[in-house]
Amino acid sequence: MTARKSARLAAKAVLNKQLQPAGKVVKRSSKKRQQAASTAKPPLPAPIAAADSKQAVADGRYKTLADTGEMKAALLYLKAADPALAAIIEQTTEQCSMSLPRDDDSDSSFVSLCKSVIFQQLAGSAARAILLKFLKRFGTLKDQSLSYLLEDDSAKQLTPAHFVFPSPQAVVSMDHAELKAVGLSQRKAEYLQAVAERFNNGTLSDELLVSMSDSQVSEALVSIRGIGQWTADMFMMFYLKRPNILPTLDLAVRKAMCHHFK
């Protein structure tokens, strides 16, 4: 058996294990187990303890994929670990970016999570329209000379980037009827305020989330009403830019993996 085929079998076995329903066991012969062991991936760096991670970020010992060097190292790791992924990476001409179109570099973790709630289960265009309505009603213009556009923006010059997102305290105190008036459902209004409450009472903050391990971030976020594992994974990937997140609940990821690891 070629090294390429062995690597593909090992990668497929890992994917099967992650996507199997609870209670279902994937059976493999001893021969296949030996083959998988012979094509083991290079070891990942040891994780930094949660208590030490905040200082590690500050002094540069704990890298994220925002660092171009770390992104290059991650791609090299994937290419060395799996020939199928290596072929896909080699065919990709666009630069890999760990950011979402809706995000702004100045967004706090609170703002990022609120945007995630607003965008949940909506087409991008519809979600952007609701976000803009929300900001026009509750946000603050960064440039007050543009305030006249709040009355008449028929040319659609204003975008979410023109606004400062309201504070957690402000969101907590918002009336549900007003939130629904800008296009949010009753449940999304409740979810938005549930996120705001955690930041308002100090349970969560930018500093705390940066200092947590991946499992701690996940546990803290999924305990908030309206935040599930998928949203937590997206937050860790695109906001915290953590390198070792595999969103197995993402349908697009599952379909792509099944297609390339037949």
Side-chain angles (χ1 to χ4, degrees):
M1 181 180 293
T2 65
R4 176 182 175 86
K5 189 171 183 180
S6 296
R8 287 171 67 88
L9 285 171
K12 187 172 183 179
V14 172
L15 181 65
N16 283 339
K17 182 178 179 182
Q18 291 173 329
L19 300 186
Q20 280 297 323
K24 188 172 182 179
V25 178
V26 180
K27 296 182 179 180
R28 293 193 302 179
S29 67
S30 59
K31 183 178 180 180
K32 288 186 176 180
R33 284 196 295 271
Q34 291 172 358
Q35 291 170 342
S38 68
T39 57
K41 293 181 179 181
L44 288 171
I48 294 174
D52 188 42
S53 60
K54 185 176 181 181
Q55 183 58 41
V57 172
D59 63 25
R61 288 183 292 117
Y62 181 43
K63 302 293 186 179
T64 72
L65 293 180
D67 183 294
T68 55
E70 288 301 301
M71 177 63 80
K72 289 180 180 178
L75 292 174
L76 287 173
Y77 169 82
L78 291 174
K79 288 167 70 175
D82 189 274
L85 282 177
I88 296 169
I89 293 170
E90 289 295 334
Q91 293 170 11
T92 304
T93 56
E94 295 183 11
Q95 183 177 1
C96 185
S97 172
M98 295 303 296
S99 61
L100 295 172
R102 66 171 181 256
D103 290 337
D104 188 284
D105 290 341
S106 63
D107 284 351
S108 65
S109 52
F110 165 66
V111 173
S112 179
L113 287 167
C114 285
K115 287 182 178 180
S116 293
V117 169
I118 292 172
F119 274 71
Q120 282 176 355
Q121 298 180 327
L122 289 177
S125 57
R128 284 189 291 273
I130 292 173
L131 174 61
L132 185 56
K133 288 180 181 178
F134 174 87
L135 292 171
K136 284 182 176 180
R137 173 65 182 83
F138 301 108
T140 304
L141 275 170
K142 296 176 182 177
D143 183 354
Q144 288 301 315
S145 69
L146 299 176
S147 59
Y148 70 94
L149 291 173
L150 293 174
E151 299 297 328
D152 180 17
D153 188 22
S154 55
K156 298 182 179 181
Q157 298 179 57
L158 291 177
T159 69
H162 287 102
F163 293 88
V164 176
F165 203 91
S167 68
Q169 183 178 13
V171 174
V172 168
S173 64
M174 290 174 184
D175 183 76
H176 280 191
E178 292 182 318
L179 289 170
K180 290 170 70 176
V182 299
L184 291 171
S185 65
Q186 175 70 25
R187 285 191 176 181
K188 282 200 175 181
E190 294 171 359
Y191 297 164
L192 206 64
Q193 291 187 315
V195 171
E197 182 58 39
R198 296 295 180 95
F199 284 86
N200 188 50
N201 65 23
T203 303
L204 290 179
S205 67
D206 288 345
E207 293 76 18
L208 285 172
L209 287 165
V210 167
S211 72
M212 292 176 179
S213 65
D214 294 347
S215 60
Q216 288 174 323
V217 173
S218 180
E219 183 179 354
L221 294 184
V222 298
S223 68
I224 305 173
R225 188 182 179 206
I227 301 292
Q229 189 59 54
W230 182 86
T231 300
D233 287 344
M234 295 301 107
F235 176 79
M236 287 190 284
M237 288 174 61
F238 295 109
Y239 184 80
L240 295 178
K241 303 190 189 318
R242 298 286 175 91
N244 296 323
I245 307 298
L246 179 61
T248 56
L249 296 180
D250 188 288
L251 184 59
V253 170
R254 293 167 72 107
K255 286 184 174 180
M257 295 294 277
C258 288
H259 174 73
H260 292 292
F261 290 87
K262 294 179 180 179

